[in-house]
Amino acid sequence: MAQDGMFTISEFAELSGITRSNLLYYDAIGILKPAYRAGNNYRLYSSRQLELINAILSLRSMGLSLDAVREHIPNRTPENTLDLFETQIKALSAKIDDLLQLRESIEKRAETIRLHKDIKAPLFTIEVRSTETIFIGRLCASAPNLDVAYFHSFLKQCREVGISHATQIGQIVFMESALAGSWDAAGCMYAKTNKGSDNIEEGMFAVLFELSQDYFDDNHAYYEKFMRHVSKNSLELLGNIYIEYPLDEMSENDPKKHLVKIFSPVRQR
């Protein structure tokens, strides 16, 4: 100990559990300056400052920025501290929501890969699906997968409402267009997230799996093949056609093995 009740920077660092370099930085930015500088320019800290550094470290452990800590330290009152904590609680709640959504997106993608990694395309089948919540984007004047600008505007729209970039997306061909064979007609994209307000309702679905090399492929041949299977199996289309990519550039290095899934609610005629 340098003097009674005073500590050198190394002693203070050891007692407080903070590194010497951090103490130097805190001095430089004005969060915690030494109580005294000796003639040799050595920094000396007081025992009272041990309480202060504990407050600073506690605030930092709560996720507060250095700027927020620096602003709060000289203005500590119960009222100011309550305001600070309430603001931080809101910020943490938003981060928790984002992390929960990100976990949901990763879980859904993982489950999608598990369910589809052994699919041998081409394959037409029938599956029973549970209700799934989706977020539907703005209407596209043409086939969404052929409009690169619309694709990126949809991703921007997702970001604006807090949907993670990791969320799996798909596209919709409206039933009227499908029945008319108008594959270039207006459609839209969707994201598979609980943040949406629309649903793909439960029921029986006709499903076609094909291999696709590029998201922006012309999918006309796939749609037409899907409709032929629907007719051949005496099925009746009951709703929109949905297109997803269960195995895409994220999960499969070989573009020739990217898997496209086309499905729609149906009933037996």
Side-chain angles (χ1 to χ4, degrees):
M1 187 178 296
Q3 304 174 17
D4 290 343
M6 301 295 286
F7 307 94
T8 65
I9 188 170
S10 297
E11 293 169 336
F12 192 79
E14 184 175 355
L15 286 169
S16 61
I18 190 172
T19 64
R20 184 178 184 278
S21 59
N22 272 349
L23 284 173
L24 290 172
Y25 183 62
Y26 284 1
D27 180 11
I29 64 175
I31 285 183
L32 180 69
K33 291 189 170 293
Y36 179 74
R37 282 184 183 267
N40 53 9
N41 206 33
Y42 281 3
R43 293 170 173 83
L44 297 177
Y45 293 83
S46 68
S47 55
R48 180 67 181 272
Q49 287 181 299
L50 286 171
E51 298 176 4
L52 184 55
I53 192 62
N54 182 60
I56 292 170
L57 295 177
S58 295
L59 291 170
R60 290 290 287 151
S61 72
M62 295 176 189
L64 290 161
S65 68
L66 287 173
D67 285 341
V69 173
R70 178 171 54 195
E71 182 179 344
H72 179 67
I73 288 300
N75 299 297
R76 284 167 290 162
T77 65
E79 292 76 18
N80 287 345
T81 305
L82 277 175
D83 288 343
L84 181 70
F85 286 176
E86 288 169 0
T87 299
Q88 185 64 359
I89 288 169
K90 290 178 182 178
L92 289 173
S93 295
K95 288 182 180 179
I96 290 170
D97 288 344
D98 289 343
L99 287 172
L100 288 174
Q101 188 213 336
L102 181 58
R103 186 180 73 176
E104 175 203 350
S105 298
I106 296 172
E107 288 173 344
K108 284 187 175 183
R109 279 191 173 267
E111 181 63 14
T112 295
I113 293 172
R114 275 192 290 269
L115 291 174
H116 296 90
K117 63 184 180 66
D118 297 320
I119 294 288
K120 304 300 181 185
L123 172 68
F124 181 81
T125 187
I126 299 294
E127 68 180 30
V128 176
R129 294 173 57 95
S130 301
T131 298
E132 184 173 26
T133 303
I134 59 174
F135 168 81
I136 296 180
R138 301 182 185 95
L139 186 68
C140 180
S142 60
N145 69 301
L146 298 180
D147 191 331
V148 177
Y150 172 81
F151 174 79
H152 288 285
S153 72
F154 173 74
L155 294 181
K156 180 180 179 182
Q157 188 182 354
C158 287
R159 292 194 298 271
E160 288 172 350
V161 297
I163 296 174
S164 166
H165 195 83
T167 303
Q168 189 175 0
I169 61 176
Q171 54 185 295
I172 298 174
V173 174
F174 298 126
M175 183 173 70
E176 295 79 5
S177 301
L179 293 175
S182 301
W183 306 116
D184 287 332
C188 55
M189 295 187 66
Y190 65 94
K192 301 174 69 171
T193 172
N194 289 332
K195 282 198 169 187
S197 57
D198 294 283
N199 292 321
I200 300 176
E201 300 294 346
E202 66 180 4
M204 182 172 75
F205 284 72
V207 183
L208 175 65
F209 293 101
E210 288 283 351
L211 296 178
S212 175
Q213 294 189 31
D214 192 330
Y215 175 84
F216 298 106
D217 277 349
D218 184 339
N219 290 329
H220 290 188
Y222 299 151
Y223 301 148
E224 291 167 359
K225 185 175 181 180
F226 175 80
M227 294 301 289
R228 288 197 298 271
H229 277 294
V230 168
S231 177
K232 180 180 178 180
N233 287 273
S234 300
L235 299 170
E236 179 183 358
L237 215 63
L238 296 180
N240 300 328
I241 293 179
Y242 300 89
I243 304 96
E244 296 177 359
Y245 295 79
L247 302 180
D248 56 13
E249 66 282 352
M250 183 181 293
S251 56
E252 176 54 62
N253 185 54
D254 186 353
K256 295 180 179 179
K257 294 181 181 179
H258 291 178
L259 187 68
V260 58
K261 180 179 183 178
I262 303 171
F263 59 99
S264 179
V266 295
R267 68 182 175 192
Q268 202 73 44
R269 287 179 181 170

